[in-house]
Amino acid sequence: MKHKKTFIFFIFLLVVGTGFGGWWYNTQKAANYHVKQSRTATVFIPGLGGNYITSDYMVSSWDKNGAATKALQVYVKDNGKVSTAKQFNKIGKNNPVIQANFQTNNKPSFEATHMPQLLAYLKKNYGIQKVNLIGHSSGGEIIYDYLTKYRKTADQPETVKFVSMANTYPLKDPNITNLPKNLQILNFCGNVSNTGSDGLIPVRDVVKMKELVRGHVKSYKLYVYNGDPQQAQHSMLHENPEVNKIIGEYMFN
């Protein structure tokens, strides 16, 4: 019985150690960034039920590795009023990153209506002239709706890049012509153990975005990240240091 228990414990350590080792390996691979520094701000929009915690690992890892600077957390009330919940660092030529949180965080179409107020607030109060927008899951839908339905350039920063993480879009949309002509898009999704899905969103549905935006934007790039459930699952993508590096090097260059 003693030998049996020892064997089981050994297997447990092997499994846990393998998972930890893989994560440690990913962390080491993602330790060095090669990016440019600028005043273009990056605004992270979380998906259903998301908040500051959703983006915190990704944003903090960029800050730790010197790729970007964790700058602000902003709060958007249901009446459209925007306020700064916390400022960590000054906005400068340091790739400032802003984490957004909506009072109602489970109605993407409603949240999208307040994106103009959010971005106008950042321009008026922090002098931000250009932004990259990154959305996880339905956060991408919020950004897409903003860009195609609610964007007004006069009082809002110019949107340079749009990173969509693990989301799908309509096959046809009469508002597609409203996308900024100079917009650069990275369409990112996970593929768990080559199953063709991140556990929630099928890869075959994600890739259809290419046909939707073709001819309407400056550039489009698809990245399908293959990994085990700990690395490529829908909600683990923004917790993966290697994914953070891939997106960071796209975003900040």
Side-chain angles (χ1 to χ4, degrees):
M1 181 63 71
K2 182 178 179 181
H3 292 297
K4 184 176 180 180
K5 288 182 178 179
T6 301
F7 177 75
I8 293 173
F9 182 66
F10 171 77
I11 294 297
F12 171 77
L13 288 178
L14 182 63
V15 172
V16 173
T18 300
F20 176 78
W23 199 252
W24 181 88
Y25 178 64
N26 269 1
T27 303
Q28 297 310 302
K29 285 199 301 181
N32 298 314
Y33 283 79
H34 302 284
V35 301
K36 300 173 184 177
Q37 299 290 322
S38 77
R39 286 187 62 88
T40 300
T42 293
V43 183
F44 193 110
I45 307 296
L48 286 178
N51 50 37
Y52 303 131
I53 297 174
T54 305
S55 58
D56 208 55
Y57 179 82
M58 176 174 273
V59 175
S60 295
S61 70
W62 285 338
D63 186 274
K64 180 180 179 181
N65 289 313
T69 301
K70 183 176 180 177
L72 304 173
Q73 290 179 344
V74 293
Y75 186 72
V76 185
K77 295 186 70 174
D78 285 347
N79 62 6
K81 185 178 180 180
V82 184
S83 61
T84 298
K86 192 168 186 178
Q87 180 165 1
F88 299 92
N89 290 286
K90 291 182 178 180
I91 303 291
K93 294 182 179 179
N94 53 7
N95 292 339
V97 183
I98 296 148
Q99 300 164 271
N101 191 12
F102 293 83
Q103 182 177 358
T104 293
N105 61 3
N106 59 356
K107 296 180 180 179
S109 58
F110 175 70
E111 293 167 70
T113 65
H114 293 318
M115 285 292 290
Q117 292 98 313
L118 167 59
L119 293 171
Y121 174 85
L122 296 177
K123 184 173 183 177
K124 179 181 179 180
N125 292 277
Y126 296 98
I128 293 171
Q129 302 296 320
K130 295 182 179 182
V131 293
N132 299 321
L133 301 176
I134 175 171
H136 175 257
S137 194
S138 62
E141 178 185 338
I142 295 169
I143 295 169
Y144 174 82
D145 282 354
Y146 161 69
L147 293 173
T148 56
K149 297 178 183 178
Y150 307 113
R151 181 176 60 97
K152 296 177 182 178
T153 58
D155 63 343
Q156 297 156 40
E158 173 192 354
T159 301
V160 180
K161 295 180 180 179
F162 169 27
V163 175
S164 173
M165 295 180 68
N167 197 47
T168 60
Y169 300 91
L171 297 181
K172 294 182 180 180
D173 181 6
N175 295 310
I176 194 67
T177 55
N178 293 330
L179 281 177
K181 302 305 178 186
N182 288 323
L183 184 67
Q184 302 170 57
I185 295 177
L186 173 63
N187 190 14
F188 194 99
C189 66
N191 184 15
V192 176
S193 305
N194 292 312
T195 59
S197 168
D198 67 2
L200 184 64
I201 306 293
V203 174
R204 67 175 181 272
D205 292 340
V206 174
V207 301
K208 294 175 182 178
M209 186 186 191
K210 180 179 180 179
E211 295 303 316
L212 174 67
V213 304
R214 185 194 295 272
H216 298 290
V217 295
K218 180 178 180 179
S219 67
Y220 168 89
K221 181 179 180 180
L222 171 70
Y223 197 110
V224 180
Y225 182 85
N226 297 294
D228 62 32
Q230 190 181 27
Q231 299 167 324
Q233 192 272 339
H234 186 78
S235 297
M236 292 301 295
L237 288 172
H238 49 67
E239 306 298 313
N240 184 334
E242 189 175 15
V243 170
N244 294 350
K245 180 180 180 182
I246 293 167
I247 291 178
E249 290 190 329
Y250 173 85
M251 190 92 73
F252 308 124
N253 282 317

